Amino acid sequence: MSFAFCISPSRLVRFLISLACLLYASPTLAQQTIQGRVINGTTNLPAPHQKVELLTLGEGMKTASEIESGSDGSFTFSAVENSQTPHLLLRVLYHGVNYNLSVASHEEMEKPVTLTIYEPTQRTEDIQVSMPVMLAQASANALLVQQQYLVVNETTPKKTLVSPQGTFFFDTPPEVTDELNVVVVGLAGIPLPQTPTPKSGGGYFISYPMKPGVNEVRVSYRVNFNSSQRELKHRLFYGTSTARVLILPADLQVSGDGVQSAGKDSRTQAAMYQVKRIRKGEFLDIKIIGEAPKVSESDDASRDSESSEPQMQVVRLPNPVFEKKEIILGAFGVFFVLTILYALRQRTRHTNKTGASRKGIHGPQA
């Protein structure tokens, strides 16, 4: 007999509501052990005598416990509070670099985990940097610019790029004097703000440790111009093989050396352009001409000003991590609502049938 016929519609509704409460709440249910090992990814050997911290990620980041790894790199945290949705982080500080491992599910808590650390290096020969996408949104005569850089660390053996003189360099147009923001996209898509340092000869650098694999850096700034004749020009220290440039509003006139129209971006509704290969140290130079409405740079446009003029909302480069999370939660929400509606419909039918049966048995009296 199927589940649908084993439970009444009203009980099904109550069950689903209770299930939703369990999924979206996180009460402490029990205690569990977390076991794992610290491995040196450069030597592929266990890393003994490393301080391993267990952090909780509730309201802020708090150290719940810490322990030293054994001679074989192993560690065990006992009596860890086990909630419906664990928000735990394991961390090892090695040569001044934080190495983290997220523990976000019961499945991850039930099996041994591996936290990998790496030896440091200052060699940049195996570091590749590209700028795959840039968004320039006109706001009156200004441009709000967001740039995505990918720093790919392919060192062999694997090592973390560490240098106080800079691990990533970038440039901006000379008109940029403030509103410069730099973030590194960290674990689980969390933005980690960085303080850019002016570089001799122009440009900036940050000294964030670039670990093996792909490291994402996002640079955003505002460029002010005296008219709607805008020219976005700055150096690309690393060059780029190809770049996708998104322009808003989509009806602005865009031109430049090697700039070709590539249609429209479906997510941002921006005009899309492809820029051909730019060599190391050469300039990205794009002219963006045309009138544009003023853009609200706040998440809440009503806070910005008391002006009665309509304001466009600033468009931001999408974050794939949060997009996937929203899709998953959205899919569950749709399923949950449809199931509730089905249960209510079945309950109505059941009530109607019962009423009809009673009406047939206790019909109108003569």
Side-chain angles (χ1 to χ4, degrees):
M1 185 176 292
S2 66
F3 175 77
F5 294 101
C6 293
I7 184 170
S8 67
S10 60
R11 289 184 178 179
L12 179 59
V13 172
R14 290 196 295 269
F15 168 75
L16 290 172
I17 293 175
S18 300
L19 178 61
C21 292
L22 286 173
L23 287 173
Y24 286 97
S26 56
T28 300
L29 299 180
Q31 290 185 331
Q32 192 168 338
T33 297
I34 295 181
Q35 294 180 328
R37 178 171 294 184
V38 183
I39 298 293
N40 188 314
T42 304
T43 62
N44 290 322
L45 296 175
H49 312 301
Q50 299 298 318
K51 185 176 76 171
V52 184
E53 295 179 273
L54 176 65
L55 308 173
T56 57
L57 304 177
E59 297 179 358
M61 186 182 295
K62 299 179 180 179
T63 301
S65 183
E66 59 183 46
I67 196 172
E68 184 177 288
S69 62
S71 57
D72 59 351
S74 64
F75 60 87
T76 300
F77 288 102
S78 58
V80 176
E81 290 186 350
N82 179 8
S83 61
Q84 272 305 114
T85 53
H87 298 283
L88 302 174
L89 190 71
L90 297 172
R91 180 172 69 185
V92 170
L93 180 65
Y94 185 65
H95 287 300
V97 179
N98 282 320
Y99 295 91
N100 303 312
L101 178 67
S102 173
V103 181
S105 68
H106 295 296
E107 290 76 12
E108 293 175 347
M109 295 180 70
E110 290 171 355
K111 60 185 179 181
V113 297
T114 300
L115 202 165
T116 306
I117 62 177
Y118 300 95
E119 297 297 324
T121 183
Q122 293 190 7
R123 292 172 55 86
T124 60
E125 287 79 359
D126 297 318
I127 306 297
Q128 304 295 326
V129 181
S130 63
M131 187 190 72
V133 64
M134 178 182 79
L135 188 151
Q137 184 173 9
S139 175
N141 292 336
L143 282 178
L144 309 179
V145 181
Q146 301 171 60
Q147 296 171 319
Q148 178 200 51
Y149 291 90
L150 298 181
V151 183
V152 182
N153 181 344
E154 297 179 333
T155 52
T156 303
K158 296 179 180 180
K159 294 182 179 181
T160 297
L161 178 63
V162 179
S163 174
Q165 284 74 42
T167 56
F168 170 72
F169 302 86
F170 67 97
D171 195 15
T172 65
E175 296 86 356
V176 176
T177 57
D178 55 7
E179 300 186 44
L180 173 61
N181 295 288
V182 183
V183 300
V184 174
V185 180
L187 191 67
I190 298 175
L192 306 174
Q194 305 296 308
T195 301
T197 302
K199 175 180 173 293
S200 61
Y204 301 87
F205 70 85
I206 62 172
S207 297
Y208 183 84
M210 299 297 171
K211 299 169 186 174
V214 179
N215 302 267
E216 181 180 353
V217 182
R218 295 199 174 198
V219 178
S220 61
Y221 51 84
R222 178 188 182 98
V223 192
N224 295 314
F225 298 94
N226 296 324
S227 70
S228 60
Q229 308 284 322
R230 313 171 193 87
E231 183 177 13
L232 184 63
K233 182 177 181 180
H234 66 81
R235 286 172 300 174
L236 293 180
F237 289 120
Y238 304 93
T240 189
S241 58
T242 182
R244 183 163 52 100
V245 179
L246 308 179
I247 303 293
L248 282 170
D251 58 353
L252 295 176
Q253 299 177 33
V254 178
S255 62
D257 185 25
V259 178
Q260 296 180 344
S261 177
K264 197 171 186 177
D265 181 64
S266 59
R267 288 183 292 184
T268 61
Q269 299 304 307
M272 186 164 55
Y273 296 84
Q274 288 293 129
V275 179
K276 70 175 186 179
R277 180 181 178 183
I278 300 175
R279 300 179 184 276
K280 292 182 179 181
E282 290 185 351
F283 284 82
L284 171 71
D285 190 356
I286 302 177
K287 294 179 177 63
I288 304 171
I289 301 173
E291 300 296 328
K294 186 177 181 181
V295 170
S296 169
E297 297 179 58
S298 168
D299 291 334
D300 183 0
S302 63
R303 297 179 189 172
D304 274 7
S305 69
E306 299 177 356
S307 172
S308 59
E309 296 181 3
Q311 291 187 329
M312 299 286 291
Q313 198 72 15
V314 65
V315 175
R316 306 192 186 281
L317 288 176
N319 188 322
V321 174
F322 294 118
E323 281 184 351
K324 291 178 183 178
K325 186 182 295 183
E326 289 171 1
I327 290 173
I328 293 171
L329 292 177
F332 172 77
V334 171
F335 168 77
F336 180 75
V337 170
L338 290 176
T339 309
I340 287 287
L341 292 176
Y342 172 78
L344 291 173
R345 187 177 180 183
Q346 292 296 103
R347 182 178 183 180
T348 302
R349 287 180 178 178
H350 178 73
T351 303
N352 291 339
K353 287 181 179 180
T354 303
S357 300
R358 290 178 178 174
K359 187 174 182 180
I361 297 173
H362 307 288
Q365 299 295 320

